[in-house]
Amino acid sequence: MPHNARIHRETSSPPADKLPTWLWLLLGIATVALAANRWGVALLGWIAPVPFLVVARRMAGWRRWLVFFGVTCTAGLLATAKIITDPVHPALSLLFGIPAGISIWLMIYATEKIRRAKGELTAVYAFAAIVTVVDWFGYSVARQGIWGTMPASQLDNLPLLQLVSLGGLGLVSFIMAWFAATVAVLIGSDQRRRIHPHLYAAAAMITAAHAWGAWRLDRLPPMKTVTVGGVVTDLGLRDGFPSREALARNVDELFARSAVAASRGAALVAWNEVATLLMEKGEEASLKERAARFAREHGVDFVMAYGVVLSRAPLSFDNKYVWYGPDGREIETYRKHHPVPGEPSLRGTDPIRVNARPWGRAAGAICYDYDNPGIVREHSRGGADLVVLPSSDWRGIDPLHTLMTRVSAIQGGFSVVRPVRWATSMAFDQYGRVRASMSAWEDNDRIIMATVPVGQVPTLYRLLGEWPPLLCGLFLLLLSAGAVRSFVRAKQAGKKTRHDRVKQHFDIKNKGVEILYYR
């Protein structure tokens, strides 16, 4: 081989070829695991899929794809294992980690099949569309929240998160996946020059998104404010059912802390999720009477969140809050609409409400309810200025689960106050900025005071909802239709070719018979 030809071949080989397959697989496990959940590295969230996209080019035969499947499941398990702390059972990592690994494998497999059939550029945008649709399916249809999505690694990137006010989380998913796919082609393909304009376009979009987000955060429209007090307890079911004496002391402490919050100027006081338990249905009437009296005496809106035990074995309880006005009148009784998978609480079915209060329009939900964007949109369309979100978490998801609430605040254009047991309580304004924060792991009085603006900020998301996944789904549908059409044409062409061969065979045979006959 001539020297110049050898140089050209070496310079045109993909950079990814310098690393063996096993190392790319290890890099894929590491980037996926380290980008997600606790101690997540936000920068890795942008390139987490790259090693798997690169190594998929080398997959041939079902045995290699099976090994690859095991690798992606390992990555999903390690990412999920990071949230496993007391009192959560380790089996939870299997419950969520294996589906996460399957999802990763399917996305990479589908993208690689498209790349081999349609080429590099089509695969880039197909991957971005697939990620967007899969992320949307997880938080909208499967109701698993934004856990495992690419944007979940960017919860501290407030300028980027402003995009959710335009098109929901799917818009962020598309941009991040677009960038990752172009990087994968840049290092894994010998067609790098063709991808350069698309990489520049993705980089320009990322820059523009951050610039627009920074500009939006700099806006300070004049708004009224209201002071909210969140009251938190440390009592729960972590060590089994509390004694009646412990429950009685807990209720007294909750009301005492609520009185302190009211004395500090709170117009609204809210407890965390299931702040106390009632062991018998008959105990509820006296607790509600005490709550109404408290609201009336202190002249505050009072959101009392508690649980009523319906059965001990198996465990079943009614998880709800009751909202009282300053006159002691009951405004709303709300039951949790979306219990966490495996949570033994009743599912609420009442219509979502937004209540007119003297200081603005307010609504509420309970913890995991706000992992479902459907309730966020209903609150936004109902004109909510403020949402109170009684919650309960554990160390493994602290403060990630609370920070996910800022996405809802930006989408809906309203303030959110989230008092949380065993985690970090926070309050956010309409742009996701933190207005107050209190950790359960520090020495404090378990009362979070937050002054938040009331007055909804209009968002495109309120009007159009999750439109990026819809467009991405349409693109994938058209791509699939084209693939089916090509397959049918190829099959028809194959049939025609076989027909012509058979016809030619019989023509030759008949012609030979005819010659023999005349002879």
Side-chain angles (χ1 to χ4, degrees):
M1 179 184 294
H3 179 68
N4 291 339
R6 184 168 61 252
I7 293 177
H8 176 73
R9 183 176 179 179
E10 291 174 353
T11 55
S12 63
S13 62
D17 288 353
K18 297 178 181 179
L19 297 181
T21 300
W22 65 266
L23 185 54
W24 278 114
L25 291 173
L26 288 179
L27 286 173
I29 293 174
T31 53
V32 169
L34 291 176
N37 302 325
R38 286 197 302 163
W39 352 299
V41 182
L43 185 61
L44 291 180
W46 290 89
I47 59 171
V50 170
F52 286 157
L53 286 170
V54 168
V55 82
R57 298 167 176 270
R58 306 178 184 181
M59 295 294 104
W62 66 269
R63 289 184 177 84
R64 288 194 175 187
W65 279 112
L66 185 61
V67 171
F68 187 46
F69 176 78
V71 169
T72 59
C73 286
T74 301
L77 284 170
L78 290 177
T80 307
K82 293 163 65 177
I83 70 172
I84 304 301
T85 59
D86 185 63
V88 177
H89 195 277
L92 186 69
S93 62
L94 294 174
L95 181 63
F96 292 100
I98 296 297
I102 294 173
S103 176
I104 295 170
W105 186 87
L106 288 174
M107 289 189 291
I108 300 296
Y109 180 81
T111 302
E112 180 58 19
K113 288 297 182 181
I114 292 172
R115 186 191 71 82
R116 295 180 186 185
K118 297 292 184 180
E120 302 286 357
L121 295 182
T122 302
V124 165
Y125 294 97
F127 178 72
I130 290 170
V131 169
T132 304
V133 171
V134 170
D135 282 356
W136 167 82
F137 181 86
Y139 60 72
S140 289
V141 180
R143 295 174 179 172
Q144 296 177 352
I146 68 175
W147 302 96
T149 64
M150 290 191 72
S153 63
Q154 306 299 307
L155 295 176
D156 283 321
N157 190 344
L158 205 48
L160 179 68
L161 291 182
Q162 299 306 305
L163 288 179
V164 303
S165 68
L166 299 178
L169 211 64
L171 190 55
V172 183
S173 295
F174 181 86
I175 291 175
M176 293 183 69
W178 180 19
F179 177 77
T182 55
V183 171
V185 174
L186 187 67
I187 65 175
S189 171
D190 56 2
Q191 301 179 25
R192 297 189 293 280
R193 287 189 177 182
R194 293 186 61 194
I195 202 63
H196 284 166
H198 300 268
L199 181 64
Y200 300 151
M205 180 62 73
I206 294 169
T207 303
H210 282 83
W212 179 80
W215 171 82
R216 190 172 190 265
L217 287 168
D218 190 56
R219 300 179 65 193
L220 297 172
M223 286 188 182
K224 296 187 301 181
T225 60
V226 64
T227 301
V228 181
V231 173
V232 176
T233 180
D234 293 320
L235 189 72
L237 293 176
R238 177 178 290 174
D239 300 316
F241 283 101
S243 65
R244 288 187 177 275
E245 293 76 14
L247 288 171
R249 288 194 303 271
N250 179 58
V251 170
D252 290 341
E253 289 177 358
L254 287 167
F255 276 105
R257 292 171 186 171
S258 301
V260 172
S263 69
R264 293 176 180 173
L268 168 65
V269 178
W271 292 358
N272 65 260
E273 179 184 13
V274 190
T276 191
L277 278 170
L278 303 179
M279 309 307 290
E280 297 179 6
K281 191 75 173 179
E283 299 174 344
E284 190 172 10
S286 60
L287 182 64
K288 293 175 71 174
E289 182 181 346
R290 184 174 179 180
R293 186 168 62 251
F294 174 88
R296 190 166 50 248
E297 290 175 354
H298 293 274
V300 297
D301 276 60
F302 184 46
V303 179
M304 181 177 67
Y306 61 98
V308 181
V309 176
L310 305 175
S311 169
R312 288 199 179 198
L315 178 61
S316 175
F317 61 93
D318 191 5
N319 185 353
K320 61 184 177 181
Y321 70 66
V322 182
W323 191 315
Y324 296 92
D327 56 359
R329 180 176 58 88
E330 185 176 317
I331 295 173
E332 178 188 11
T333 296
Y334 177 92
R335 286 180 172 83
K336 191 172 186 177
H337 277 55
H338 300 286
V340 178
E343 179 182 331
S345 65
L346 298 182
R347 182 183 296 274
T349 57
D350 293 336
I352 302 299
R353 292 179 52 181
V354 177
N355 305 304
R357 311 307 305 133
W359 32 264
R361 294 182 61 79
I366 297 177
C367 198
Y368 197 68
D369 285 342
Y370 251 45
D371 288 41
N372 175 17
I375 294 182
V376 176
R377 285 191 70 195
E378 289 190 58
H379 282 161
S380 183
R381 290 180 171 179
D385 301 315
L386 167 68
V387 173
V388 62
L389 195 62
S391 302
S392 183
D393 289 334
W394 67 90
R395 182 66 185 92
I397 59 173
D398 178 41
L400 287 174
H401 201 198
T402 297
L403 287 173
M404 290 177 184
T405 308
R406 76 186 339 164
V407 174
S408 303
I410 300 169
Q411 287 174 326
F414 44 64
S415 297
V416 180
V417 179
R418 190 177 193 264
V420 194
R421 170 183 31 224
W422 300 334
T424 303
S425 301
M426 286 187 180
F428 304 99
D429 67 9
Q430 301 93 329
Y431 300 92
R433 293 176 291 214
V434 177
R435 302 301 293 255
S437 178
M438 180 184 72
S439 174
W441 315 110
E442 297 173 356
D443 185 14
N444 52 56
D445 59 7
R446 296 299 189 259
I447 304 169
I448 178 173
M449 300 297 298
T451 300
V452 295
V454 287
Q456 192 178 109
V457 174
T459 65
L460 188 63
Y461 177 83
R462 174 188 175 183
L463 299 176
L464 301 181
E466 301 277 350
W467 55 267
L470 180 63
L471 294 181
C472 289
L474 181 61
F475 169 71
L476 293 174
L477 188 63
L478 293 175
L479 199 62
S480 301
V484 171
R485 187 167 57 250
S486 299
F487 175 78
V488 171
R489 286 179 177 175
K491 198 169 185 180
Q492 290 175 344
K495 286 182 178 180
K496 185 177 180 180
T497 302
R498 287 195 298 273
H499 174 75
D500 291 343
R501 287 175 179 173
V502 171
K503 184 175 182 299
Q504 184 180 17
H505 171 75
F506 279 104
D507 286 347
I508 294 173
K509 187 175 181 181
N510 291 336
K511 188 174 182 181
V513 171
E514 183 178 351
I515 292 172
L516 288 173
Y517 175 78
Y518 282 110
R519 284 183 179 178

